[in-house]
Amino acid sequence: MSSETGKSQTVDPAPLIADTTDEGILLRAVNHAYGELQTLAGIELQAPAHSVIGLVGPSGCGKSTLLELVCGLREASAGEVAVGGATEADQRLARCAFMPQRDLLLPWYSAIDNAALALRNQGMGQREARSAAGALFERFGLAGFEAARPAELSGGMRQRVAFLRTLVAGKPVLALDEPFASLDAITRAEMQEWLATALRTDPRTVVLVTHDVEEALYLCDRVTVLSARPARIVAELRAPAPRAEDRDAAVTDPVFVAAREAALRALRAGSA
């Protein structure tokens, strides 16, 4: 937050108008606290259907809490949270697939059964669910590990199984809490490129939490920069467009580099 104005900085002043009746997301004057600890203060956020919104901010500022509010896993202390026009927690949860930072794979299930778990919970038979999830294993670099238990997988592979489980759930809203944080740099870049392609072919409304400004700008339409706790919005940036489909070309484009520097400046200001 700027010490001169005490107000949030909007790098791109263009309004973001959400269609909240069509799987868009709306947060209005949202505050949240755990007892005496205030984590969110006056959050105003709108995301149209099929847009990808990134949240970046200092560690512990409340980014994950914000995701949980969107998904109906928590209720705000004050303010309004709506997904597709629905404000009740159970209705928001029905519209969202949430991927937490930890993979939460079931240790007694194989990789393919973990990936298919959301489909089984929706009533799909085991064979059909395995077939639907298994079709993506090669694309995720998991081919040949369908029968492996989580303990037999690397950390990166476990996270890919968890991400696959989130995607195949078929929910219109994806809430991703640092989905690639545990992957090595090369695999992370490959998965970013894959996700960008997947969202072009199968659009979803996405809220992505990440500490990686470059990742946020590459994957998202807009990036919201949060301050230190209690989190306030200190900047909103529109990602450079059009973005090259090739990730290396996108992130080295001078316009992209300038946007990344603007986001880092806002992040440093919000952490002060």
Side-chain angles (χ1 to χ4, degrees):
M1 181 174 294
S2 168
S3 58
E4 296 177 0
T5 65
K7 297 180 181 179
S8 63
Q9 170 196 7
T10 303
V11 176
D12 178 1
L16 179 61
I17 305 301
D19 179 0
T20 58
T21 63
D22 186 22
E23 307 310 338
I25 297 168
L26 170 68
L27 287 87
R28 181 176 293 148
V30 169
N31 295 328
H32 191 266
Y34 297 100
E36 298 294 320
L37 181 65
Q38 187 175 10
T39 54
L40 302 173
I43 298 296
E44 301 271 350
L45 182 66
Q46 297 184 65
H50 298 167
S51 64
V52 185
I53 304 300
L55 300 176
V56 298
S59 295
C61 74
K63 300 184 297 296
S64 297
T65 297
L66 196 50
L67 277 191
E68 291 171 359
L69 295 178
V70 169
C71 292
L73 298 174
R74 295 186 185 277
E75 289 286 19
S77 303
E80 178 186 357
V81 182
V83 177
T87 57
E88 296 298 321
D90 59 340
Q91 296 171 342
R92 301 199 308 271
L93 183 59
R95 290 165 166 79
C96 297
F98 176 64
M99 181 176 173
Q101 293 177 16
R102 297 176 59 190
D103 59 65
L104 301 180
L105 300 183
L106 299 179
W108 56 89
Y109 267 23
S110 65
I112 197 166
D113 285 330
N114 268 291
L117 185 59
L119 298 175
R120 296 298 310 280
N121 288 342
Q122 293 171 9
M124 188 179 289
Q126 184 183 65
R127 180 176 298 180
E128 188 180 359
R130 283 179 169 179
S131 175
L136 295 173
F137 264 57
E138 183 172 356
R139 185 182 297 178
F140 274 67
L142 294 166
F145 291 90
E146 289 83 353
R149 297 292 191 270
E152 301 171 307
L153 301 175
S154 69
M157 294 176 76
R158 290 171 61 106
Q159 200 71 357
R160 279 177 274 171
V161 172
F163 188 44
L164 198 162
R165 177 186 59 199
T166 305
L167 283 181
V168 300
K171 300 293 185 70
V173 176
L174 303 180
L176 309 178
D177 195 351
E178 300 189 66
F180 305 134
S182 66
L183 303 181
D184 63 84
I186 293 174
T187 306
R188 181 171 184 151
E190 290 172 349
M191 291 302 296
Q192 289 169 1
E193 197 165 35
W194 181 87
L195 179 58
T197 302
L199 292 175
R200 282 193 294 269
T201 1
D202 181 15
R204 313 281 183 99
T205 307
V206 180
V207 183
L208 169 71
V209 163
T210 178
H211 283 94
D212 187 336
V213 168
E214 183 172 281
E215 177 174 273
L217 286 168
Y218 175 66
L219 290 173
C220 301
D221 303 310
R222 292 182 70 93
V223 176
T224 297
V225 182
L226 300 174
S227 71
R229 190 178 60 238
R232 296 176 173 84
I233 295 176
V234 296
E236 291 184 270
L237 298 93
R238 189 178 298 278
R243 279 166 288 177
E245 293 189 12
D246 175 76
R247 182 187 177 280
D248 290 343
V251 301
T252 55
D253 182 274
V255 177
F256 187 99
V257 172
R260 182 179 61 203
E261 291 306 308
L264 289 171
R265 286 194 298 270
L267 190 55
R268 285 193 292 269
S271 301

